[in-house]
Every structure is written in C-alpha cells, then in structure tokens.
Amino acid sequence: MGQAAKREPAQHRLRLCWTERAAHKPWEGIDILYRRTLSFLFLGLIGAAVAGVGLVGRGFFGHSDSEIFAPRAPSRSANGNNASSAYPPKDFRSKSTGNPEGQILFGDLHVHTTISFDAFMLNLPLMGGEGAHTPADACDFARHCAALDFYSLNDHASNIDPDDWRRSLESIRQCNALAGSEDAPDMVAFMGWEWTQAGLSPEDHYGHKNVVLAGDGEGQVPSRPIAATAGGVAAHPPSVWARGALALQSGGRMHDLARRWTRISGMEICEDDHVRSLPDDCREIAATPADLFRKLDEWGHDSIVIPHGTTWGIYTPPGSDWKKQLADANHDPERQTLLEVYSGHGQNEVYRDWRSVKYAEGGAKVCPEAQSDYLPLCQRAGEIVRARCLAVGESPSECNFRAEEAERYAVEAGISPQVTVPGATGEDWLDAGQCRDCQQPAFKYRPTGSAQYIAALSDFSDIAETSDDENDSALGQKPKRFRMGFIASSDIHTARAGSGYKEFRFMTDAGQRKVPEQGGIVGSFLRGPKDDPIAQARSIVEAKKKLSGLQFFETERTQSFLYTGGLAAVHASGRDRASIWEAIKSKRVYGTSGPRILLYFDLVAGLERHPMGSEVEMANPPRFEVRAVGSFDQLPGCAAENAGALGAELLQRLCRGECYNPGDTRRSISRIEIVRIRPQSHPEEAVGALIDDPWVRFECPDDPNGCTATFEDAEFDSVRRDTVYYARVFEHPKPTVNGAMLACRSEGDDACVETDPCQRGEECLAPDEPRAWSSPIYVDYKPESQTQNGAES
C-alpha cells in the first residue's frame, strides 16, 4: 500500500507535466507523441521481422517435392510403342520349367527422388544440381526415357513424412493407371522404401536394405514406412533463425530446404507397439533387421527385402562382417530373397582376402600391411605424415614415430580415416582403401560384405557339431545359409530409373556436382573448415572438435566411383504385375551393369531344366547350360514417339535429349565365366579357399546372335558338398563413365604413385566391359538313395 501511494503522486505529476506542456507548448507534445509512435512502430517492425524470419525458417514459403506426384505423359502403348520387353532369337528362348515363352523384362528396384534428404542436398543448384526430382519424374523417366518394364520408389524412410508417403503412393497408383491393360501394361510401378541403417561399430552395423511391396491397393501398403533411425543428419538441422536467414538470402530451393528440415526434424517417434495400433503420422523405427522383419510380419503385406551397398565402405565400419546377419533372426529367408550385386555406386560381387583393419589378440585394432592389390588407408595415412615430417627436417626416428601414430589414429577413426591427416587432399590418398583388381568396385571396398562371401557363409549355431571331414548335408543337418538371387539397380538420386542405357555422367550420382566452399550454412553442413597440411596426425576425438555430420564422409574421391546404373532382369511368363512378382519371388532374376544383355542359366537334369535361382538336391554331377545374347547398340538421341509423349521441354529436362534408343545390331558376348562356391562345412573354414572365381571360362565367337556354353561339375559326387554356381557374362569393352576410377599411374613396383580423378565438367570415359550376373543355382548334395531321378527341387 505504501509503495502504491508513493507511485500515484508521481504518475499524477507526470500527467500534469504533460498537460501543462501540451497547453503552453503544443508542438513539443506532438513531437513527443511522434517519437513514441515511431519507437512503437520500430519495435513492432523488429518483432514482425523476427516472427517473419522464424516463419521462413520453418519453411512456410517452401514446397515439398512430393507435391509433384502425377505423371504427365501417357503410356507407351498410347504412342504405339509397347514393345519394351526383350525377346531373343527363337533358338535362345528359355526352355526352363514354368517359363516357356522366355520373356525377359527389365526394371529398376532402387530409385530415389529428392524426397530423400541426401538426394535433396546433392541436387541443390548451389551444388551444381538440377533442383527437384519428383515421384512424377520417376514414372515419366522410367516409361519414356529408359523404356523400363517395371520400377520401384525407394526413398529413405527416415526422410519421408506422412504427406510424402501419401503422395508417393498416389504417384505409383497414377503411374500404373496410365499403363494400359492390366494383363499387358506397358510398365508396372511398385511402392517401396529404403531402410537405411549405418552402425558406428562392426557390432551394430547392418547396412541398407530396400523394401518393395507386391501391391499398391488399399490394404496392401503399410500406413507409414519403417525407418532404421529418426532421420539421420536431416533430423539435426541448423537453428530456425539460420534456416530463415538462408532462405531469405538465397530464395528458391532454400525455402524448400527450410521446409524439409522442419518436417523431418519435427516428426515424433512411434511407440514400440504393434504396427497397426500406431498413429499414421509418427516415425516408425526398426533398429535391427530382426525388428524390421518382425514389423513387416505384423503388417502382413507381401513384400521383399533387398540388401544393397554391402561392400560400400563410405558408411560401413571397418571390420563389419555379414556373418552376424545369419544369427538372431536378422535374416528372413522368406522376405530377404534378393541381393543387389551392382548399382551406380559400384559392384558388391567379388571377395578378397585383404582387410582394412585387423585385430590383435585381445581385440585391439591393428593396421594391416599393404599388399600388391590393396593399400590400407591407415598405411597411407602413415606415409603422408612421414613424408611431411621428413620434408620439414625432422629426424627419421621422429618421423617413423609420427607415422605409426598416424596409422593408429586412422584405424581408430572407423569410416573416416581421412579426417585424421589435416590438409590431405584426395590426390594425397592415392587409391588407398580401394579394390585395385576389381571392375567398377564400390568405394572403400569391404570384401566381407561381398555377394561371394555372403554365399559362402554358414551358421552352425542350431546344429550339433560335426568333425571337419563330415559333410553336414550327408548327415541331414543343415546350417543356416543365405540363398539370395542376384539383381542390379541404379540407386540413382535424380529419379532417373534405369539410368544405365547410355554412358553420360549426368546419368550417375556424380552428375556435374560441386561442394560449396566452407562458410555458408549449406557449405558448412557438408564441408569442414580448411586445415593446413601439418606434419602430424590428429585423433578422431580431436577431429570431432572441428567437424560434424556429413563432414566426416569422404566426398572428393567418391566421385570417381559413381557409375551409370544397373538393371534387374526377370524371366517372367507375362508383363502383368503378378507375373513379374512371381518371377521376383522365385529368384528367376539377374542383374546387368546397364545394357539389356539376355541371359539364361539352367541346370539340366534329364528332361527337366531348373532355371537360375533354383534350389536343387542331387547326388550326381550337375550339368549346366548358359546362353547369352548381347544388348542392342544405342542410337543417339530419342525416337520420335518419346518426344511426342513427353514434349520438347520435359524430354530435355528429364532425358537430356538421350533415351533408350536401340538400333538393329546387337553387341557380341566376349566370354562367359562360371563362379563356383562351396559354402562352409564347419565354422572355422576359411572363406577364400571356398570360392573359385572364375572356375570355368568360355571364350565366345564374335557373333551378335549370342554365345552358348555347357559344363559339368565332375567333382561334385566325390567332394560331396553343397555347392553354389552362377554365371557372369561379358560384352566387349566400350567407353564407360569412371571406367578408370582414379586412373592411377604406376611406377616400378608401386601400383599407384599418382591419380587423375574425374573432375567436374568431364565425362571421364574409359574402356570397361558391360556384364551380367545370373542368380545362383543352389545345389545341395544328397546321397542317391535319398533322391528321385537324380535331382529334387
């Protein structure tokens, strides 16, 4: 009360002062009122500006790339061009059981739009990208640029918000609605997503897997995709004020980026409950493959799971091993039926005995020695530091100490050894970490994720121990094994499904992209501060004080290991969805590095033929037949019907004026190779000795009508082991994007003393052999007394 009483006279005196001044000097009162009004207006404008920046930073003026979901072009049949499937010469048509017509259809089961956050970032104009690549683009490109028979959408589940999911599904449905007759559509579109998992250690790493759904109708599709994480780097954006400032400064796609960051980071995580009891708008997480398979079972929809990028070391920790995925329900043989052996990110096929890291007794990580066909990154880290140290005049003993320290730091850095040597460029690292004798390998190759290694593995945890000389099949005890078919895909991030029909760099994920200089918000998101090339390494702990997020990924040399995409081929009885899906589920599939090579691989048992993907039990030596026909030479440009369907503007934007445009001449097959793998018969059996690559090789005549080879495994009945066989066929070399990878220059005994990596603005063409991989045929040994007619399926 006392304080109030004291305030009232003061307020009263103020009112009197104001009244007296206004009465005696009215202009001063007006001036005070004016200045106060301006102050209020100024404060109001500041508040409005702050609110406006916040609004912009939350993406209020941005758009989602999924908003453009409706395909804009009619079916090929509407333009008189529905014949996209491949029929070989009559005498090459398959005689395989269940596929009398020999119809081969080509597709792509790994397609990203810019709904995927990495695709969004890579396609920003400031990175040299083209901007948005939408679900509608995927359909139009697949149909009219690539002339595919089928494709699927596989955006990263951790980046898909509820609107994206709903619109992507609608895009697939509309794409199918334009396809013509359900019995013979010009193309079939499948819905799917990518489960994108990357562990920080070998123990918790499982890798990336695509989920593809059989149907797209009501009751055939989950209410939301199942992710492995809560959103990755996209879930940890800059502040709303920084996003708003960026969008106001640059406009355009930066408004869309602000919206993307806000939508991804704002989604709530679903409770760990039954999938059908969860809300549609939460982010559903499956941390392991076992969790993923369980959730897919809860939905109950027909689907397949396709691992990919299994040797890609850019995200796979050194020491990771696929053998742990045979255990603890982390493999579902009913769903995980296919393996991607090649994509635009390289091949994952071949096994090698070298490793990027070794383990001493007690589990300590050790840097392996260099070999003629492999230079570990940790060894190269030591070489760089030693050379710098000697160059500044330090003693050899001091420099050797620093080199050993650099090796240790590089080993401890996991997937990011390059950050432990400050100021080292891509050229400094030479070809360290790469498979030197592989064709189009994945970057930083991890052989314990290769298709050959995976096929050779056995898990004996559920069966009794046997002696080393006893065959598990003969005893009727079957270890767990992977029995997947082989496909290839594009893994393209520009919605260009089936991008490998012609060799142009814009058909790869390298495109003509650049990484912005460090300093801006986007540049800082991708590139760390520039370091001076000092003569000492730093630990990963020290590196983390300066770097974060995507800055730990090596981007410079990666550009030389991005290729035009591969294709999945199916031996189907018809063009319709059900026929394609039945062929996929039966593993009557194969992969190519892009060209539409025709490939047949059969086990011949009397009058019966068992096609690629079959599982057979027999006692007698198996006999096989391989038949292959080369792809058509490609004519430049696009056919008239492509332009008529898409229109000039869309034709140029999507296809860049280059379509699948076959001529009348087929390329010749140069050779056929057979790979034989005898899976482990006891846990300690070394995998390298079980893989014969190649086991048999056949040179082919220069004949555009194809090449045929027959062979028998005469050792099968004496060795008495389960055996895996697959065919690999080659065309003659042709100019290929990144065919030379880093283009190493050798000198004496040094395999690589200098590199010439692909630069922005170059096509980077070098000779390489187009090829195709059949799905394996899995032949289990079973004594003749237990078989009928020598073979059982």
Side-chain angles (χ1 to χ4, degrees):
M1 291 293 293
Q3 290 180 351
K6 291 178 181 178
R7 281 201 304 271
E8 184 172 340
Q11 294 168 352
H12 181 63
R13 287 195 301 272
L14 182 61
R15 286 195 296 269
L16 287 175
C17 179
W18 168 260
T19 304
E20 290 173 357
R21 292 178 66 183
H24 295 288
K25 295 180 179 181
W27 58 89
E28 289 189 11
I30 294 172
D31 181 59
I32 292 172
L33 180 62
Y34 175 70
R35 280 183 287 172
R36 290 186 175 182
T37 303
L38 285 180
S39 297
F40 286 131
L41 286 173
F42 180 70
L43 292 173
L45 287 173
I46 291 177
V50 170
V53 172
L55 203 62
V56 172
R58 290 180 175 84
F60 182 80
F61 298 102
H63 296 278
S64 171
D65 291 356
S66 65
E67 291 177 18
I68 304 176
F69 60 84
R72 290 143 295 194
S75 69
R76 288 190 296 266
S77 58
N79 288 275
N81 181 27
N82 192 32
S84 61
S85 58
Y87 286 91
K90 184 176 180 180
D91 57 338
F92 271 81
R93 295 202 180 177
S94 176
K95 305 167 188 175
S96 301
T97 303
N99 186 23
E101 294 300 321
Q103 184 170 213
I104 298 177
L105 306 178
F106 291 95
D108 188 353
L109 295 177
H110 194 170
V111 181
H112 291 276
T113 74
T114 43
I115 291 172
S116 293
F117 191 73
D118 56 347
F120 188 105
M121 298 297 287
L122 290 170
N123 285 286
L124 286 172
L126 62 81
M127 294 190 66
E130 301 169 310
H133 293 279
T134 67
D137 290 344
C139 175
D140 290 335
F141 186 93
R143 174 168 275 137
H144 292 291
C145 303
L148 294 183
D149 300 303
F150 60 93
Y151 80 99
S152 65
L153 284 183
N154 304 96
D155 282 308
H156 299 291
S158 56
N159 304 152
I160 300 173
D161 68 37
D163 287 340
D164 294 332
W165 182 246
R166 175 178 54 81
R167 291 167 181 155
S168 295
L169 177 57
E170 183 58 29
S171 180
I172 290 293
R173 289 170 173 169
Q174 291 194 25
C175 190
N176 287 320
L178 291 171
S181 165
E182 290 187 5
D183 294 333
D186 74 326
M187 185 175 72
V188 175
F190 292 97
M191 188 61 184
W193 69 86
E194 179 176 317
W195 183 81
T196 312
Q197 196 272 350
L200 297 177
S201 69
E203 293 74 25
D204 62 9
H205 178 81
Y206 297 98
H208 299 182
K209 303 175 189 287
N210 284 330
V211 178
V212 181
L213 302 165
D216 65 355
E218 293 297 329
Q220 296 179 306
V221 179
S223 301
R224 66 204 154 267
I226 303 167
T229 68
V233 294
H236 305 282
S239 71
V240 67
W241 314 113
R243 304 197 305 263
L246 175 66
L248 288 170
Q249 178 185 359
S250 303
R253 286 293 278 171
M254 296 301 103
H255 286 289
D256 300 341
L257 176 57
R259 177 183 174 85
R260 199 95 201 98
W261 260 325
T262 301
R263 295 281 291 180
I264 293 173
S265 62
M267 284 188 66
E268 293 186 2
I269 305 301
C270 299
E271 298 290 335
D272 188 15
D273 205 345
H274 193 285
V275 296
R276 293 185 179 273
S277 66
L278 300 172
D280 293 346
D281 59 353
C282 61
R283 174 87 65 215
E284 188 169 355
I285 305 295
T288 67
D291 293 332
L292 173 65
F293 296 133
R294 173 177 58 80
K295 287 177 177 290
L296 289 172
D297 287 343
E298 288 177 4
W299 279 114
H301 304 312
D302 195 3
S303 64
I304 58 171
V305 175
I306 310 172
H308 67 271
T310 51
T311 63
W312 202 24
I314 197 169
Y315 79 97
T316 302
S320 295
D321 195 317
W322 252 73
K323 63 184 177 183
K324 70 174 178 293
Q325 298 203 43
L326 268 177
D328 301 326
N330 283 313
H331 173 55
D332 182 346
E334 299 302 317
R335 292 193 189 274
Q336 192 166 252
T337 56
L338 302 182
L339 176 67
E340 188 181 280
V341 299
Y342 176 87
S343 77
H345 294 172
Q347 61 96 343
N348 307 301
E349 178 203 2
V350 300
Y351 175 74
R352 297 290 183 264
D353 274 327
W354 42 256
R355 299 290 185 269
S356 56
V357 64
K358 287 189 175 181
Y359 295 89
E361 289 186 15
K365 295 180 181 178
V366 179
C367 183
E369 293 297 319
Q371 301 183 34
S372 61
D373 58 349
Y374 182 68
L375 174 62
L377 276 154
C378 51
Q379 287 286 342
R380 183 57 187 160
E383 292 174 359
I384 296 171
V385 169
R386 181 184 291 109
R388 289 179 179 178
C389 180
L390 293 171
V392 297
E394 296 287 350
S395 68
S397 61
E398 172 64 19
C399 294
N400 286 337
F401 172 80
R402 293 188 186 184
E404 291 174 3
E405 180 184 61
E407 292 176 11
R408 186 174 70 254
Y409 284 161
V411 165
E412 293 169 353
I415 65 169
S416 305
Q418 77 283 352
V419 305
T420 64
V421 183
T425 65
E427 285 85 353
D428 290 331
W429 289 102
L430 300 177
D431 67 341
Q434 314 310 325
C435 184
R436 286 175 168 170
D437 63 344
C438 295
Q439 289 182 283
Q440 295 180 299
F443 183 60
K444 291 183 179 176
Y445 202 81
R446 304 279 192 252
T448 49
S450 66
Q452 292 177 352
Y453 181 80
I454 290 170
L457 292 173
S458 299
D459 178 65
F460 298 88
S461 58
D462 293 337
I463 64 174
E465 292 186 6
T466 62
S467 63
D468 290 352
D469 59 348
E470 289 178 314
N471 180 270
D472 53 84
S473 296
L475 294 174
Q477 300 183 85
K478 286 291 184 183
K480 288 191 291 187
R481 290 174 179 149
F482 295 107
R483 295 197 161 189
M484 293 183 276
F486 291 171
I487 64 165
S489 301
S490 70
D491 195 0
I492 195 70
H493 286 62
T494 57
R496 291 188 167 106
S499 58
Y501 54 85
K502 289 179 180 176
E503 293 294 326
F504 291 100
R505 202 172 180 210
F506 78 86
M507 294 289 197
T508 76
D509 269 341
Q512 296 299 337
R513 297 191 181 93
K514 58 184 180 181
V515 178
E517 290 300 319
Q518 199 278 336
I521 292 176
V522 174
S524 299
F525 197 69
L526 300 169
R527 188 198 295 271
K530 190 172 183 180
D531 291 310
D532 294 326
I534 61 175
Q536 192 157 6
R538 65 185 175 191
S539 69
I540 190 66
V541 175
E542 288 298 313
K544 287 179 178 179
K545 295 177 181 178
K546 300 183 69 174
L547 306 173
S548 63
L550 294 177
Q551 296 168 0
F552 284 98
F553 290 94
E554 187 178 353
T555 57
E556 191 174 350
R557 292 192 303 160
T558 308
Q559 305 303 303
S560 295
F561 292 83
L562 297 174
Y563 317 99
T564 55
L567 286 175
V570 301
H571 287 269
S573 58
R575 297 188 52 84
D576 60 289
R577 174 183 294 269
S579 296
I580 294 172
W581 190 253
E582 187 274 331
I584 289 172
K585 294 279 281 190
S586 299
K587 297 183 287 193
R588 290 198 311 274
V589 300
Y590 64 94
T592 87
S593 60
R596 298 178 196 197
I597 297 168
L598 308 181
L599 176 60
Y600 303 84
F601 179 44
D602 297 326
L603 185 153
V604 182
L607 298 177
E608 290 189 55
R609 286 176 175 261
H610 303 272
M612 61 179 73
S614 295
E615 299 179 18
V616 180
E617 292 180 331
M618 60 192 312
N620 299 320
R623 294 183 57 82
F624 300 90
E625 182 180 70
V626 185
R627 292 165 291 154
V629 184
S631 62
F632 283 111
D633 279 324
Q634 290 295 304
L635 302 177
C638 298
E641 53 263 29
N642 300 111
L646 291 173
E649 182 179 351
L650 201 56
L651 183 76
Q652 182 58 37
R653 186 177 71 79
L654 292 183
C655 318
R656 297 277 195 94
E658 293 291 346
C659 304
Y660 177 71
N661 193 12
D664 296 326
T665 304
R666 286 190 179 272
R667 293 169 50 81
S668 297
I669 298 294
S670 63
R671 71 183 184 279
I672 294 172
E673 294 180 348
I674 306 301
V675 177
R676 182 180 69 178
I677 302 171
R678 291 168 171 161
Q680 291 174 311
S681 61
H682 61 85
E684 303 306 318
E685 199 168 18
V687 167
L690 305 177
I691 301 169
D692 297 317
D693 180 14
W695 172 55
V696 185
R697 175 180 294 179
F698 302 93
E699 301 297 330
C700 294
D702 188 8
D703 185 354
N705 291 314
C707 182
T708 299
T710 59
F711 61 96
E712 178 181 290
D713 186 357
E715 301 172 337
F716 181 79
D717 57 345
S718 59
V719 174
R720 295 163 59 93
R721 290 184 64 139
D722 299 346
T723 309
V724 181
Y725 309 85
Y726 71 89
R728 187 171 57 208
V729 304
F730 298 82
E731 293 183 338
H732 290 283
K734 72 172 184 178
T736 304
V737 173
N738 281 332
M741 283 82 75
L742 291 167
C744 272
R745 180 176 67 83
S746 61
E747 193 173 276
D749 294 333
D750 294 323
C752 187
V753 297
E754 185 181 25
T755 62
D756 183 19
C758 191
Q759 302 295 327
R760 185 169 182 261
E762 301 175 354
E763 288 294 344
C764 307
L765 297 172
D768 195 65
E769 297 173 297
R771 55 207 180 280
W773 301 264
S774 79
S775 280
I777 296 177
Y778 298 89
V779 185
D780 289 349
Y781 178 78
K782 190 172 185 179
E784 191 166 8
S785 60
Q786 300 177 32
T787 64
Q788 296 178 356
N789 302 321
E792 288 185 353
S793 296

